[in-house]
Every structure is written in structure tokens, then in C-alpha cells.
């Protein structure tokens, strides 16, 4: 079996998105700054169909994080389009016709919807039966590969709180957002984390923890 | 001139002490867990008059943090004894007759008090004229050496927010406290931090940022 891992970028004050998220500003005020380290990388740009970029100490970390992923689970909020029923002209995600997932993505939602097949191998499956069901389906689809819990914060918290995560990978950036979507709130204090790896890179520290509940 | 630096241990969810701090439990519920990495170290134990302990990747970081400190500034809350006037039988700090500072310590307070001379070189000076005055006095006492802003969180925030800190050193531990004294709250988003060094050590990551306001 592969691992279940969270891979997320967090500000030094604990947020994965800034305040006032909107369709125009999906990461909220200041939230784009969280990802400057990634936007600069050749490894990230090529995955998103962009040219250029640099190679630095983040490169092997990003390559490793992209390798061996068999499926992803994400929250409805990350998929986007606002809450509520999907409607007649439904939102198809932030990522255009060829999303950067290239595999099955299981979207947690309260509202049923047929699977959405995109270009490049990405299919969005909409799961209304809860987080365990979504993870079970993702594991079945991933086979021996890893399942990524792709966020947002609320989804990450639910999986961490339920003890369903093996590995928490945080890209910690020296940015203060002040408010927004907090990653590690609402978790109580039962979750134990063991630090298993740290990589220093330009503008970011890559932290890896084993989660033990 | 020396640098003005903050040296503090923070939980992964952003707290430097847990909830419900008291005389019996000065670091609040769960707060002692923040310092397990330090308590284990020979370098920390010898500074506090204790024997034994281990040498690991934290050792040079701790030795470096203790070196070249000419004076410390701390808040009344860290000095302890509760708020309000000092009274006839005043609180003399948490640290016994021979505190681990071995130099001048400037305590921010609203209540005047004569300097308190302890064993081992520590003298507590009580400053009622505000954070700039306390820092000015500490710099004068430190000469060419560094001034440490010793905490707690509120004091650190005041100095960071006023642009008076050169270097923010955070020992980040994989502990969740859920609530308590938050280090980087209330800071707004103007403060810019540049990551300048990361050291991975057992149970802790030592982060160093240059503060630019």
C-alpha cells in the first residue's frame, strides 16, 4: 500500500490561504505570496505547462512530491465554484481543460455529480459519502501508489483529526498573512507528529512529519 | 553595535505557551513539551546548573544563541508573579537565586521597582518607560554585544511590530497546543521576513529569519 500524505504550503503564522478568498482571488489577500518559491521552479512550471524556471534545493523535494501519486482527495472549497448544488452550468475547477493532476481526483461534496473527465488524465469524482469513503476510493484507484490529501485546510484537518494521514509535508514560508484559512486549528492536541526530514531551500523550509494518532 | 534578536520556541500551530498559565504551570497546559528538545541537551543543562545530557545538531545552535548576549529584555508576564503593583513581598522571578541570564535583564512593567541583584551576575532592572526605553537601556548595557528579546509572545510582537528586531530565531517543534500564547498573531502583514538559516535537529527545526519592516 502507498502512503496517505498531505502536501501543503503554510505561512509562518499558520495559514494556507489569506482572508477574503474569491473567484478573482482564490488564495485570498496575500495568498499568492505563499507560492512564490514554487512558481520560480522549473520543476513546478513544467508540471503546469510553463517554460523556464530555476533549479534549487526545492527541486528534488517537488519532484519527489509529484512522484508516485496515484490519486488525490480534495475538498469542495479547493475545487471551487462556491458552495451549494452544482447547477446547470457547473464549475469545472480552477485549472482549465488540462489540470495538473493527471489522474483521479476525489472531490468531497454534499452535492452529487457525475464524474468529470478532463484532458491529460485528470478525472474529478464527486464523493458525497464522507471522508472515509473518498479515501477508500482514492486508495483503490491508487493501488500501490500514494494518495495525496490536496487540501484545503478544512479537508486536511478532517483527515488529520481522524488519524487517516501517514505523512504531513509542510512547505513553510516566511510570510505573515494575519488571518485566513488556518491549517492546524481545530485539531485538539491528540495528534502526535514526529519530525522526519527538513530541507532548507531558497525562501522556504520543507518539513516532513509522520502523523501518529 | 550588536544585533537585537528574538530566540523563542514555538509549536507547529504557533504557540509559545499553552492555555491556562499559572504559578504551578508557568508554560500552560502542554507547554513543557515545547522544550523537551532543550531539556535533553548538555548545552542547555549546564547553563541551568544541571548535569548530563546529550550533544546533537541543536548543540551548536544553542551555544551560538547563548554566546555574545550582553543584555536581555523581557515582559512582565515572562518575569512572572502576576500583574499589578509589586507589593511588600515581591516576586523575584521563576529562576531561583542564580538565574540563567548572568547579566542585565530589563523587565517591562507598568509598576516601578528598584533593581533586583541576584547571584551569578543577573540584575533585573524594571522599566516603566516603554519598549523603546527598555531596548535603549539594554543596548547601552550590552555595548557591542547582542540584545535578546526574551519573550513572552506579547513582548516579541511589540518589538517585531515596531521594527526594532534584527533577527527572529524560532525553534519549531512538532507539537500542537491548540490554544495558548500565540507568537505571530496581531502582527499585521507589514513585517517582512527573510529566511537566512535552517538547522534540522532531533525533535526540532531551528529557523532564522532577518526581520525587515
Amino acid at each position: 500500500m502507498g502512503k496517505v500524505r498531505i502536501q501543503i504550503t503554510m505561512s509562518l503564522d499558520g495559514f494556507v490561504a489569506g482572508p477574503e478568498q474569491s473567484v478573482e482571488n482564490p488564495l485570498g489577500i496575500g495568498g499568492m505570496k505563499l507560492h512564490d518559491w514554487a512558481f520560480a521552479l522549473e520543476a513546478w512550471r513544467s508540471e503546469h505547462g510553463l517554460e523556464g524556471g530555476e533549479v534549487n534545493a526545492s527541486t528534488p523535494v517537488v519532484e519527489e512530491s509529484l512522484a508516485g501519486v496515484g490519486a488525490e482527495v480534495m475538498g469542495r472549497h479547493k475545487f471551487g465554484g462556491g458552495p451549494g448544488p452544482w447547477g446547470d452550468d457547473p464549475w469545472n475547477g480552477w485549472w482549465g481543460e488540462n489540470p495538473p493532476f493527471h489522474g483521479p481526483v476525489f472531490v468531497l461534496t454534499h452535492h452529487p455529480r457525475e464524474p468529470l473527465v478532463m484532458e491529460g488524465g485528470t478525472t474529478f469524482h464527486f464523493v458525497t459519502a464522507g471522508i472515509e469513503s473518498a479515501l477508500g476510493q482514492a486508495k483503490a484507484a491508487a493501488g500501490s501508489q500514494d494518495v495525496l490529501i490536496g487540501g484545503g485546510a478544512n479537508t486536511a484537518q478532517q483527515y488529520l483529526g481522524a488519524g487517516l494521514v501517514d505523512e504531513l509535508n509542510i512547505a513553510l514560508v516566511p510570510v505573515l498573512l494575519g488571518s485566513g484559512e488556518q491549517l492546524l486549528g481545530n485539531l485538539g492536541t491528540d495528534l502526535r507528529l514526529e519530525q522526519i526530514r527538513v530541507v532548507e531551500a531558497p525562501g522556504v523550509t520543507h518539513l516532513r512529519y509522520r502523523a501518529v494518532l
Side-chain angles (χ1 to χ4, degrees), chain A residues 4 73 106 108 127-140 147 149 155 158-159 161-164:
Chain A
V4 177
V73 176
F106 297 84
L108 296 162
V127 180
T128 57
I131 64 168
E132 302 211 14
S133 171
L135 183 57
Q137 293 178 54
K139 281 182 169 176
V147 173
I149 307 294
T155 298
Q158 288 187 56
Y159 280 103
L164 296 171

Side-chain angles (χ1 to χ4, degrees), chain A residues 22-109:
Chain A
S22 64
V23 171
E24 293 73 33
N25 204 1
L27 293 174
I29 295 171
M32 288 293 274
K33 284 188 294 185
L34 290 173
H35 302 284
D36 283 346
W37 68 271
F39 299 150
L41 288 180
E42 195 270 341
W44 186 91
R45 299 178 68 83
S46 67
E47 183 79 7
H48 289 74
L50 300 168
E51 304 211 336
E54 58 187 64
V55 173
N56 64 32
S58 286
T59 299
V61 177
V62 167
E63 288 174 345
E64 188 187 44
S65 80
L66 296 170
V69 175
E72 174 158 343
V73 176
M74 68 171 64
R76 164 74 186 266
H77 187 66
K78 175 168 173 179
F79 183 75
W86 296 101
D88 293 333
D89 183 20
W91 175 263
N92 287 343
W94 299 102
W95 303 276
E97 292 302 308
N98 186 354
F101 306 107
H102 312 298
V105 177
F106 297 84
V107 180
L108 296 162
T109 173

Side-chain angles (χ1 to χ4, degrees), chain A residues 109-156:
Chain A
T109 173
H110 296 293
H111 303 281
R113 177 171 172 182
E114 291 300 306
L116 173 63
V117 180
M118 309 296 286
E119 293 172 17
T122 298
T123 298
F124 294 108
H125 301 271
F126 300 90
V127 180
T128 57
I131 64 168
E132 302 211 14
S133 171
L135 183 57
Q137 293 178 54
K139 281 182 169 176
S144 63
Q145 293 196 292
D146 292 352
V147 173
L148 216 62
I149 307 294
N154 182 272
T155 298

